[in-house]
Every structure is written in structure tokens, then in C-alpha cells.
Amino acid sequence: GAGVSQSPSNKVTEKGKDVELRCDPISGHTALYWYRQSLGQGLEFLIYFQGNSAPDKSGLPSDRFSAERTGGSVSTLTIQRTQQEDSAVYLCASSNPQGAIMDEQYFGPGTRLTVT
Amino acid sequence: GQNIDQPTEMTATEGAIVQINCTYQTSGFNGLFWYQQHAGEAPTFLSYNVLDGLEEKGRFSSFLSRSKGYSYLLLKELQMKDSASYLCAVSGWGYQKVTFGTGTKLQVIP
């Protein structure tokens, strides 16, 4: 079946503009994750959804960042008033944990955001 | 909170064996993942350990010791295509949050 998809694949925006990044998880996957990866760095956790709820928003860098998930499916990460330090690859992943039993995460191809 | 440590870079020779270590300190523990990430690509799943011991999967094996907060990924018969970053990730109790280490960049040389 289809994997995780993200759009756009690349986004160049001017400093101060708002951007929206979209993630379509694998159908039926209840858990959805957003990570940020700067060049040559590891994955920085941003936010996690279980269904439409976000139990952990602790990774969001500032109040300019927000995310939502609707219908237990598509998620949108919004960055307001973008800054140059927001430039990174934004990765989305989904999984289907069974209670406390974890499942592997399936990653999308990422959105490369460049703020000029 | 969770803290995960792994070496930044390693170099190994084609055909050899390499062990990539990962140590972690967590407020709870549900399992440990290893992912492979080639440059410019998304991470892909390699292994998941919940119980102590060694899990073998082809050329790749992963070991876990929960009492020591320690894991390693063992790669045998190294191939040039194994040059990539290897990410250790830990999930804690209560919910399915997964925290990643910064990754170990492995370079395989002829």
C-alpha cells in the first residue's frame, strides 16, 4: 500500500511568512510524529499525535509552531513568522502501536524548508 | 526525560564487522529501535528490542541490556552500501513518544 507522504517536498519562503507542511500517514496508523532535522544533525522531536490528540507538545521550539491532526489521518504543521533558523528538513512518521506495544515508525520523504 | 548517547562517526573496512554502541538514560523504558538513514533520505527501520539479549536479522544484529541502559548494533560482512547514519531511538512508558539519538555516521572504506 501507499507509504507516508508529505507535501510540499521543497519550500522556499521569505523570513516572516507563514508556512504549512502537510503529512498523510499510512491508512489506519493511529500514531503520527513530526521531527525536524538540520543538516548533518539527528532527529529533533517536535510533536506526537495519538489519534487527533497530542499528548506531548514539548518539542515544539516556540509558540510560532503549531500542529493539528483531523479525522485521525492528515496532519498539518504550521510555522508562523518564519525565521532563518527554522530552515531544516521536516520529517513526518506514522506507526500503529497496540496499547503499550510499540510499532516501527514509517517515515515520509520529508519537506525541505528554506527560509531566506 | 531521556538522554541517548552514541558515537558521532565510525569508519570500518568492507567485509569487516562493526559494532555501534548506544547508551541511554530514560524516565521509563518501553523499547529501543535502530534506524538506518542514508544521506538525503528518510530513516528506515532496522530493529526493535524490548527484552534483554541479541536479536539477529541477516547481517544485522541488535543487543539490549536494560539494566545497563545499553544497546549495540552489529553489522557483519560490511558492504559499501552500509555507509549511512545509524540512529538509536528509545520509547518510554505511558505513551508512544520516541526519542532519537544524534546518530552515528558510518563510513565503509574499500
Side-chain angles (χ1 to χ4, degrees):
Chain A
V4 178
S5 61
Q6 293 185 244
S7 60
S9 55
N10 277 285
K11 177 72 176 178
V12 180
T13 189
E14 290 181 354
K15 176 182 174 181
K17 301 282 189 183
D18 297 352
V19 295
E20 263 189 13
L21 312 180
R22 177 187 168 106
C23 172
D24 282 87
I26 292 173
S27 178
H29 278 193
T30 59
L32 186 147
Y33 304 79
W34 283 100
Y35 296 92
R36 179 168 71 174
Q37 188 171 36
S38 301
L39 188 64
Q41 301 299 310
L43 273 66
E44 177 188 2
F45 170 81
L46 297 179
I47 190 170
Y48 142 80
F49 287 93
Q50 178 60 38
N52 292 334
S53 300
D56 192 332
K57 303 179 183 179
S58 62
L60 295 176
S62 73
D63 58 8
R64 296 187 295 106
F65 287 71
S66 62
E68 65 175 14
R69 188 181 186 194
T70 55
S73 181
V74 172
S75 176
T76 303
L77 177 69
T78 302
I79 308 173
Q80 296 179 310
R81 305 181 302 281
T82 51
Q83 303 294 313
Q84 289 186 330
E85 61 262 29
D86 299 335
S87 297
V89 175
Y90 289 80
L91 289 164
C92 174
S94 72
S95 71
N96 196 28
Q98 301 297 315
I101 300 174
M102 289 296 296
D103 182 32
E104 66 179 275
Q105 293 181 317
Y106 296 81
F107 283 83
T111 293
R112 181 174 298 278
L113 175 66
T114 303
V115 182
T116 62
Chain B
Q2 292 166 317
N3 187 43
I4 301 171
D5 290 308
Q6 42 181 142
T8 304
E9 295 183 344
M10 297 182 72
T11 301
T13 305
E14 189 177 15
I17 299 173
V18 70
Q19 177 174 312
I20 302 174
N21 296 324
C22 171
T23 57
Y24 62 90
Q25 298 88 40
T26 63
S27 55
F29 181 81
N30 197 14
L32 186 144
F33 295 87
W34 283 96
Y35 284 81
Q36 180 190 58
Q37 186 177 26
H38 285 99
E41 299 181 10
T44 55
F45 171 81
L46 289 177
S47 66
Y48 177 50
N49 292 67
V50 177
L51 301 176
D52 291 351
L54 188 68
E55 298 269 350
E56 297 187 74
K57 191 186 296 184
R59 294 188 300 114
F60 291 13
S61 302
S62 58
F63 171 83
L64 175 67
S65 169
R66 289 172 295 171
S67 62
K68 295 181 180 178
Y70 169 68
S71 173
Y72 68 72
L73 180 69
L74 194 70
L75 291 74
K76 303 176 185 176
E77 301 167 17
L78 280 172
Q79 302 175 9
M80 298 301 290
K81 68 178 182 179
D82 296 330
S83 293
S85 287
Y86 291 85
L87 309 174
C88 174
V90 174
S91 67
W93 281 116
Y95 47 77
Q96 285 79 28
K97 177 182 176 180
V98 179
T99 302
F100 281 79
T102 54
T104 299
K105 185 176 181 180
L106 174 67
Q107 183 183 15
V108 180
I109 58 176

